[in-house]
Amino acid sequence: MAKGKRFSFLFHTSELKSKARNSILSGVNAWDDIIGWQFELMGIKDEKSFNNHMVAVTDEKVTNPNASNRRVEFPFVYTSRIISYDALISEEDNAWGPAHELGHNNQQAINWKSTTESSNNLFSNYVIYKFGKYSSRGKKISDLAEAYVDPEHNSWALLGKASYQGEDPELHMRMNWQLWNYFHRCGFQSDFFPTLFGLLREDPLPNDFTSSITAGRIAEDLGASQLKYYEKVCEAAQMDLTEFFKVWGFFVPVNTSYSQYGTALYKVDQAMISASLARVKAKNYPKAPAPIQYIEDRETKGGDVYSQMGYFETFKNKTKITKSPSHTLDGRTVRLSNCDQAVAVEVRRGNEATGELLYFSNMFTFNLPASVPTSGISFWAVQYDGVRKKI
């Protein structure tokens, strides 16, 4: 065993001796940092409230990393990847894995079925950021745009393409990370997530992971958790973020059997949506909403282009659109010019900036989906503060 300030290794002695005879201290300090960084996000300042250390265990019988209360477990063969600082930062997965599993222990306040494999990745992306070597994970804005126009997969619960435990975690994880990038990385509200976690500790989401699909209340718990999260995010930000959550599918009715570590009925109906929207509207939040749904902290990654508009520095620097954006439409292919100061381009029905949002893109060239008409539409360059300028 090796004990740090916030956690304890419980690894095989042979592995400790062979893999980290002279470097175990760097690993202990790095794991202490990972846990400390996750506490930062949660606004945990009094660490004495955690009576027990987090424990990291290796086991030759385990095939996949996993987490349970105050404990994370890894296969025996993982030891060399996670036992020292140099090992943790040598590959992105080596740091991501522990942060992901530890995140399962810290995600309760922001978690309900449909987020269990994504809300913990807020912590993973933050840890990667703090190590300062790798860029964040998750799908592109284009994947969110494709989900937005897909009537079968445009609700939050069913957003994108489910790939693990009922959700699309690579897409879902980008929602909270967009909030972090805007409020924290851009410096607009550096205590946003600590504030949000505090609000949700005082007034928790009503999710109930123990209810079965036959216990009718669970049908309302999951939908109510989803909408309450929207309301609490607005409260923490003191900003009406309805536009943001609309793009993320929070206001699309859903009534379906949902399987994520047990099966439950996931229900969000129009009455629930209308009541939630009314509660936020009644708050009269003073801040004007920014188009946070378009923020991106990656321009390229692994040779792929992730954004040509909406890079976080455009928000941070409060870049105004001073150029004259233009576009051409060739069949379904849209090509933009002079849009580099925008955070995204929107396709709207009709000729008004308030027309129905049909599609959006953060790329200078993109194709309109088959569901979007090529006539009776208009294109709008979106400024960092939500001002729309017609292209």
Side-chain angles (χ1 to χ4, degrees):
M1 175 182 283
K3 183 179 179 182
K5 179 182 178 182
R6 301 183 178 97
F7 98 107
S8 297
F9 280 138
L10 189 58
F11 291 174
H12 290 69
T13 302
S14 61
E15 289 295 284
L16 287 171
K17 288 182 177 180
S18 65
K19 302 296 192 308
R21 179 179 294 274
N22 299 313
S23 58
I24 187 62
L25 184 59
S26 74
V28 169
N29 290 337
W31 276 70
D32 274 347
D33 284 341
I34 290 173
I35 296 169
W37 294 333
Q38 296 198 3
F39 284 173
E40 282 179 5
L41 275 181
M42 295 187 291
I44 302 296
K45 297 179 180 179
D46 178 17
E47 296 183 18
K48 293 180 181 178
S49 61
F50 288 81
N51 294 324
N52 299 310
H53 275 43
M54 181 72 73
V55 177
V57 180
T58 56
D59 190 335
E60 64 271 16
K61 298 178 182 179
V62 171
T63 57
N64 294 302
N66 62 83
S68 58
N69 190 29
R70 306 302 300 160
R71 168 188 161 280
V72 293
E73 187 175 47
F74 298 90
F76 181 76
V77 296
Y78 272 51
T79 308
S80 60
R81 307 180 193 180
I82 60 178
I83 202 168
S84 68
Y85 172 82
D86 288 341
L88 282 166
I89 67 168
S90 65
E91 294 183 23
E92 183 181 336
D93 276 349
N94 294 0
W96 180 272
H100 173 93
E101 300 304 339
L102 289 166
H104 276 306
N105 280 272
N106 293 324
Q107 70 182 153
Q108 287 86 347
I110 61 172
N111 187 40
W112 68 96
K113 283 186 189 292
S114 75
T115 70
T116 306
E117 289 298 335
S118 59
S119 62
N120 60 322
N121 285 336
L122 167 66
F123 299 103
S124 306
N125 274 326
Y126 187 57
V127 166
I128 292 295
Y129 167 80
K130 294 290 281 188
F131 272 127
K133 188 174 180 181
Y134 303 102
S135 61
S136 65
R137 285 191 179 183
K139 289 186 174 178
K140 302 177 182 179
I141 293 293
S142 56
D143 290 282
L144 177 59
E146 290 174 9
Y148 181 80
V149 298
D150 183 349
E152 294 185 2
H153 299 98
N154 64 349
S155 67
W156 168 259
L158 305 177
L159 197 71
K161 299 176 181 178
S163 57
Y164 184 66
Q165 284 291 336
E167 66 171 318
D168 184 341
E170 291 293 321
L171 182 55
H172 271 183
M173 77 168 78
R174 295 307 300 180
M175 183 186 72
N176 280 325
W177 194 240
Q178 285 188 317
L179 294 171
W180 182 86
N181 272 296
Y182 181 79
F183 290 112
H184 292 260
R185 193 167 195 166
C186 292
F188 294 127
Q189 188 180 333
S190 59
D191 66 344
F192 169 75
F193 268 109
T195 300
L196 177 61
F197 272 92
L199 290 172
L200 289 170
R201 284 193 293 268
E202 294 172 2
D203 184 14
L205 301 177
N207 66 80
D208 184 349
F209 281 87
T210 63
S211 295
S212 70
I213 193 169
T214 57
R217 192 169 62 86
I218 193 68
E220 307 249 338
D221 284 347
L222 298 181
S225 291
Q226 172 183 304
L227 294 170
K228 186 171 184 176
Y229 190 67
Y230 148 66
E231 294 176 40
K232 288 297 183 181
V233 167
C234 292
E235 182 179 351
Q238 287 295 291
M239 180 186 289
D240 187 337
L241 287 168
T242 299
E243 179 183 286
F244 173 81
F245 283 100
K246 180 179 181 180
V247 169
W248 279 103
F250 270 52
F251 312 125
V252 178
V254 62
N255 190 339
T256 186
S257 174
Y258 200 89
S259 179
Q260 185 168 72
Y261 299 108
T263 301
L265 187 61
Y266 203 121
K267 178 183 176 182
V268 180
D269 62 26
Q270 191 57 54
M272 296 167 65
I273 293 168
S274 298
S276 184
L277 291 169
R279 286 192 291 270
V280 168
K281 186 176 182 180
K283 297 290 185 179
N284 293 315
Y285 289 116
K287 294 183 182 179
I292 302 172
Q293 64 272 20
Y294 302 133
I295 198 168
E296 176 61 85
D297 63 334
R298 303 162 297 179
E299 290 182 295
T300 61
K301 183 174 182 178
D304 291 332
V305 179
Y306 274 71
S307 66
Q308 294 174 314
M309 294 175 280
Y311 190 55
F312 78 92
E313 289 181 349
T314 309
F315 289 86
K316 183 177 181 179
N317 297 333
K318 299 183 178 180
T319 303
K320 292 189 175 181
I321 300 174
T322 59
K323 298 179 181 180
S324 299
S326 64
H327 81 281
T328 61
L329 178 59
D330 181 8
R332 290 196 163 273
T333 301
V334 181
R335 293 183 176 87
L336 305 171
S337 298
N338 294 326
C339 283
D340 55 293
Q341 296 171 319
V343 299
V345 163
E346 296 176 337
V347 183
R348 291 185 175 270
R349 192 182 302 280
N351 205 33
E352 302 295 331
T354 55
E356 179 190 0
L357 177 64
L358 300 176
Y359 195 64
F360 52 86
S361 179
N362 65 350
M363 306 301 289
F364 295 148
T365 301
F366 61 93
N367 293 321
L368 294 177
S371 61
V372 176
T374 56
S375 61
I377 60 175
S378 54
F379 295 83
W380 300 83
V382 185
Q383 194 167 269
Y384 80 94
D385 56 359
V387 171
R388 269 77 173 173
K389 298 196 174 184
K390 191 174 183 181
I391 299 177

